[in-house]
Amino acid sequence: MCRMARPRKPLLSRDRIVATAGALVDAEGLDAVSTRRLAAELGVSGPSLYNHFRTKDEILEAVADAVSAKVDLSMFDEDDGRDWRTALHDWAVSYRAALTDHPNIVPVLARGPGRRPAGLRVADAVFGAMVRAGWPPAQATHIGALMRYFITGSALGSFARGFVDDETAYDPADYPHLGQAHLLAEHQEQVDEGAFETGLRALLDGLAVQYDGARNREGSAPAEA
């Protein structure tokens, strides 16, 4: 009589470790990730993780890069056809959507791409598209930086949820203009998305003024600010 084969455990891989660590970060925050906790979640011994990652920081960097890999970069393709302003807008919306799906990893992403491949591809795509559009390299770098500041900052927390939904917290004698503040949390998505879109359009409007003004002065490409 043949014995039934015992079910094999899934092979440990970088992808499994990153997915498990990402789920922990999403559910409990950065402090939830440790090699001991990950090993328990994966059903393996702690030392086996070191075949793939040397430290907890390397694991978190990989989780951050997995989020960066979800950002749409197609608008920066040379044959896409979108102008630089539309491309920046559409990319910013995609980037923020990826971050708001995984807000607990944003502090790691906010440090910059470091050596993360997907993060570097994002930086390369933005910089290359701006230079092709006529921005000088220094200004293209500034644009990439300010976009990252704006997008990651908007994803670090919710403005609307920063106000408690208790009407008594806003005594009109002390806060005469906050009579509706207790309703903000109830309309979080509308408030936060509206604020992001308002800021993004204002930012792009300002860049467009710089771009058009420089082209008018020089007849070709914008000068460095």
Side-chain angles (χ1 to χ4, degrees):
M1 185 174 179
C2 296
R3 292 183 178 179
M4 294 184 64
R6 298 176 67 180
R8 296 178 60 187
K9 291 183 180 178
L11 291 174
L12 187 63
S13 66
R14 285 180 66 92
D15 287 346
R16 279 193 68 212
I17 296 170
V18 171
T20 302
L24 278 176
V25 172
D26 286 345
E28 301 178 36
L30 295 172
D31 291 340
V33 177
S34 67
T35 53
R36 177 179 296 181
R37 176 76 182 277
L38 276 176
E41 294 285 336
L42 290 161
V44 299
S45 62
S48 63
L49 297 177
Y50 297 116
N51 294 324
H52 302 276
F53 295 98
R54 292 176 298 177
T55 64
K56 168 186 170 176
D57 284 344
E58 283 192 0
I59 295 171
L60 292 177
E61 289 287 318
V63 172
D65 212 40
V67 173
S68 293
K70 298 178 180 181
V71 180
D72 183 13
L73 299 176
S74 63
M75 66 287 295
F76 297 127
D77 292 344
E78 292 191 41
D79 60 354
D80 179 80
R82 275 172 273 193
D83 61 75
W84 67 266
R85 175 177 171 153
T86 304
L88 275 182
H89 175 276
D90 295 349
W91 165 71
V93 171
S94 173
Y95 193 0
R96 183 174 182 272
L99 299 192
T100 53
D101 284 344
H102 307 280
N104 291 335
I105 199 65
V106 173
V108 178
L109 285 159
R111 297 199 293 257
R115 297 178 181 273
R116 300 193 298 268
L120 289 170
R121 282 193 290 273
V122 171
D124 181 74
V126 175
F127 179 81
M130 295 305 99
V131 171
R132 285 198 309 273
W135 291 98
Q139 194 70 351
T141 299
H142 299 162
I143 291 170
L146 77 89
M147 294 298 290
R148 181 164 65 83
Y149 298 154
F150 176 69
I151 297 165
T152 57
S154 74
L156 280 172
S158 165
F159 175 84
R161 289 202 175 278
F163 294 84
V164 299
D165 60 359
D166 179 2
E167 188 173 3
T168 64
Y170 309 101
D171 188 330
D174 295 322
Y175 315 109
H177 306 296
L178 296 182
Q180 301 297 305
H182 65 287
L183 301 175
L184 288 172
E186 182 182 344
H187 301 282
Q188 176 194 349
E189 184 173 352
Q190 179 183 353
V191 172
D192 292 345
E193 293 290 339
F196 177 75
E197 188 66 28
T198 298
L200 178 58
R201 291 190 180 279
L203 187 157
L204 295 174
D205 284 347
L207 287 176
V209 170
Q210 291 184 38
Y211 184 85
D212 293 341
R215 288 179 69 88
N216 289 335
R217 287 193 304 273
E218 298 190 1
S220 56
E224 291 188 26

